[in-house]
């Protein structure tokens, strides 16, 4: 069969690549055309557009780049029409993908949504679009199935694909990793500032403001594959180091992490690294989001899934040097660190075992829905 996939950010590229790998195992004649990134490209097929050219952060930035976004939507529709896929697989990225779902449905193409938009947090009305234009909704968070059931949508919980990615990691020699990446013997505090330049610039400045208070540690920045190595050089010195495109290995070597809100917060937890979650957007974007988001107490996936504060979230004004210093100290040792590690164990049990990518591929390829 011919598969057309659309992922608009780094996490979608990861999940899309694992899904493509699983689809290939079940469909030897699979052909792929996709919007995504380097990981999906490794699986074969044709990369149409890279996610680094698609990701716009915040309401203000979306408005500023509206012409580009509308142009991408127009181009994508034309590309799908010419490719004539058997199935369209949409991976999160709702502002773009829901428009494409409507178009593909009008052409009679089967539409599968893998990894639900967070409509349970905001824009709940989008569930009506999903009911009309999505044939199969495959969800990865346990509570999402009940959310959709409430709206008369038969969603299928397949488990979380991050468990697949982490389950398949090879053993790591910590000393070799440090030597290969020119890292000193000091214990590591990992910095995961995001994947978009605008976001990284904002978050790194704040994260690095606490380094004078922790001279016994080295701070290591996890470089995003979408950004050039040269961009990070301005932040590197004797106490601050950098590794590119090796986030999982870096986390497995780390004592703790400071993480920008997003999928990385869950990845960090599943790799058993205590973390402080950081978020600061533009004030305009934050005020708009605050009024739109309903019934959601947390922004971090770990806390959302567990429905309680497992890890500390520092948001907007609360994200300052004093608070960051205090919370980082609390996760480096002591009772709070042990509590977090125990909660991570419960988190993994809640998400189920590995196999989400294979389960999703089975439903997509063999239509057992």
């Amino acid at each position: 069969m011919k598969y057309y996939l659309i992922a608009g950010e780094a996490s979608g590229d990861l999940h899309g690549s694992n899904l493509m790998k699983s689809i290939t195992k079940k469909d030897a004649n699979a052909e792929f055309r996709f919007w995504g990134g380097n990981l999906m490209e490794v699986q074969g097929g044709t990369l149409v557009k890279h996610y680094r050219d698609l990701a716009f952060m915040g309401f203000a930035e979306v408005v500023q780049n509206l012409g580009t976004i509308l142009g991408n939507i127009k181009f994508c529709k034309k590309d799908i029409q010419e490719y004539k896929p058997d199935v369209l697989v949409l991976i999160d990225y709702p502002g773009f993908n829901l428009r494409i779902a409507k178009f593909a449905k009008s052409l009679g193409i089967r539409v599968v949504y893998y990894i639900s938009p967070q409509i349970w947090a905001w824009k709940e009305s989008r569930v009506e679009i999903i009911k009309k234009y999505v044939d199969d909704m495959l969800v990865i968070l346990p509570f999402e199935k009940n959310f959709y059931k409430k709206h008369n949508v038969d969603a299928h919980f397949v488990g979380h694909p991050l468990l697949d990615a982490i389950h398949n990691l090879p053993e790591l020699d910590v000393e070799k990793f440090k030597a290969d990446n020119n890292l000193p013997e000091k214990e590591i505090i990992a910095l995961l500032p995001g994947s978009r330049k605008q976001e990284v610039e904002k978050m790194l400045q704040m994260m690095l403001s606490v380094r004078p208070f922790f001279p016994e540690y080295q701070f290591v920045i996890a470089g995003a594959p979408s950004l050039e190595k040269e961009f990070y050089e301005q932040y590197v010195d004797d106490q601050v180091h950098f590794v590119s495109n090796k986030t999982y290995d870096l986390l497995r070597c780390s004592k703790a992490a400071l993480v920008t809100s997003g999928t990385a917060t869950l990845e960090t937890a599943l790799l058993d690294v205590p973390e402080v979650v950081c978020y600061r957007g533009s004030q305009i974007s934050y005020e708009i989001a605050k009024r739109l988001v309903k019934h959601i107490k947390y922004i971090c996936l770990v806390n959302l899934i567990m429905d309680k504060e497992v890890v500390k979230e520092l948001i907007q004004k609360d994200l300052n040097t004093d608070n960051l210093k205090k919370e980082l100290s609390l996760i480096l040792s002591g009772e709070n660190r042990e509590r977090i590690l125990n909660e991570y164990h419960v988190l993994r049990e809640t998400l189920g075992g590995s196999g989400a990518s294979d389960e999703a591929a089975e439903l997509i390829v063999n239509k057992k829905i």
Side-chain angles (χ1 to χ4, degrees):
M1 289 201 299
K2 294 167 70 176
Y3 303 85
Y4 198 105
L5 298 89
I6 304 176
E9 52 197 3
S11 60
D13 181 36
L14 171 65
H15 301 324
S17 67
N18 286 327
L19 179 64
M20 289 165 70
K21 189 187 300 182
S22 292
I23 287 174
T24 302
K25 289 189 291 186
K26 298 174 186 300
D27 179 2
N29 298 313
E31 294 179 23
F32 298 110
R33 189 170 177 85
F34 55 91
W35 297 44
N38 300 350
L39 297 176
M40 292 173 76
E41 196 169 22
V42 169
Q43 299 304 319
T46 302
L47 173 63
V48 180
K49 276 190 181 285
H50 200 287
Y51 67 78
R52 64 172 163 254
D53 300 321
L54 306 174
F56 300 104
M57 177 188 168
F59 296 96
E61 191 182 7
V62 167
V63 171
Q64 291 166 6
N65 292 279
L66 194 56
T68 300
I69 294 167
L70 293 175
N72 284 336
I73 290 171
K74 183 178 179 180
F75 173 77
C76 184
K77 289 178 178 179
K78 183 173 182 289
D79 197 51
I80 288 172
Q81 196 163 17
E82 291 176 354
Y83 185 61
K84 297 181 175 63
D86 296 292
V87 58
L88 170 68
V89 181
L90 306 172
I91 304 173
D92 200 0
Y93 196 48
F96 189 94
N97 276 340
L98 288 174
R99 288 174 171 81
I100 300 303
K102 181 178 179 179
F103 174 76
K105 189 68 174 173
S106 74
L107 299 179
I109 296 169
R110 180 181 170 218
V111 179
V112 176
Y113 218 120
Y114 177 52
I115 304 178
S116 169
Q118 294 180 356
I119 58 176
W120 34 265
W122 69 313
K123 292 193 176 180
E124 191 167 329
S125 60
R126 282 176 164 172
V127 76
E128 297 303 320
I129 301 173
I130 288 169
K131 285 169 77 170
K132 278 186 182 179
Y133 306 118
V134 174
D135 296 296
D136 307 307
M137 173 58 73
L138 312 182
V139 299
I140 64 172
L141 300 175
F143 60 80
E144 289 177 324
K145 184 173 176 65
N146 288 333
F147 168 83
Y148 278 105
K149 185 177 181 180
K150 183 179 72 174
H151 290 282
N152 298 312
V153 175
D154 187 19
H156 305 268
F157 175 61
V158 297
H160 205 294
L162 279 181
L163 290 166
D164 295 348
I166 289 167
H167 177 75
N168 293 324
L169 289 174
E171 282 192 37
L172 179 68
D173 183 329
V174 174
E175 297 308 314
K176 185 176 186 303
F177 177 83
K178 286 184 175 180
D180 289 346
N181 291 280
N182 299 313
L183 300 177
E185 282 303 307
K186 285 183 176 180
E187 286 193 296
I188 294 171
I189 295 171
L191 307 181
L192 280 64
S195 59
R196 304 169 182 130
K197 185 173 286 190
Q198 174 193 6
E199 180 180 53
V200 172
E201 288 173 335
K202 189 178 295 183
M203 299 311 300
L204 266 182
Q205 183 177 0
M206 177 51 62
M207 290 175 173
L208 289 172
S209 70
V210 300
R211 61 182 177 155
F213 305 105
F214 301 93
E216 68 274 32
Y217 292 92
Q218 58 178 314
F219 289 74
V220 184
I221 302 166
S226 55
L227 297 176
E228 307 82 7
K229 182 179 179 181
E230 291 72 26
F231 165 74
Y232 293 97
E233 288 178 353
Q234 61 187 302
Y235 302 103
V236 174
D237 59 27
D238 290 344
Q239 196 182 352
V240 181
H241 304 275
F242 163 81
V243 297
S244 181
N245 205 19
K246 298 174 184 175
T247 302
Y248 282 6
D249 287 349
L250 172 61
L251 284 169
R252 289 196 284 169
C253 297
S254 299
K255 185 74 178 288
L258 306 181
V259 187
T260 297
S261 179
T263 304
T265 62
L266 185 55
E267 293 172 310
T268 302
L270 293 177
L271 288 166
D272 266 339
V273 183
E275 63 186 307
V276 180
V277 176
C278 308
Y279 177 79
R280 181 184 286 169
S282 73
Q283 196 58 35
I284 293 173
S285 295
Y286 178 71
E287 290 299 330
I288 293 172
K290 193 166 65 172
R291 285 159 176 76
L292 291 175
V293 173
K294 299 176 181 178
H295 316 303
I296 298 296
K297 295 180 282 187
Y298 309 107
I299 64 167
C300 164
L301 275 172
V302 176
N303 295 342
L304 279 167
I305 294 165
M306 297 290 284
D307 196 27
K308 62 180 177 179
E309 188 181 81
V310 174
V311 296
K312 186 67 177 179
E313 299 177 357
L314 295 177
I315 305 169
Q316 293 299 101
K317 293 179 182 177
D318 289 337
L319 179 58
N320 57 56
T321 301
D322 287 344
N323 284 342
L324 204 52
K325 174 192 170 187
K326 172 189 169 187
E327 297 301 332
L328 180 55
S329 297
L330 289 172
I331 65 173
L332 288 171
S333 61
E335 290 182 8
N336 193 52
R337 178 180 176 85
E338 292 307 310
R339 177 193 61 78
I340 290 173
L341 292 173
N342 289 334
E343 295 281 16
Y344 284 173
H345 178 74
V346 178
L347 172 70
R348 282 191 293 275
E349 291 183 339
T350 303
L351 289 173
S354 58
S357 302
D358 285 343
E359 177 72 12
E362 177 68 18
L363 294 171
I364 292 168
V365 174
N366 295 317
K367 302 182 184 178
K368 294 182 178 178
I369 297 180

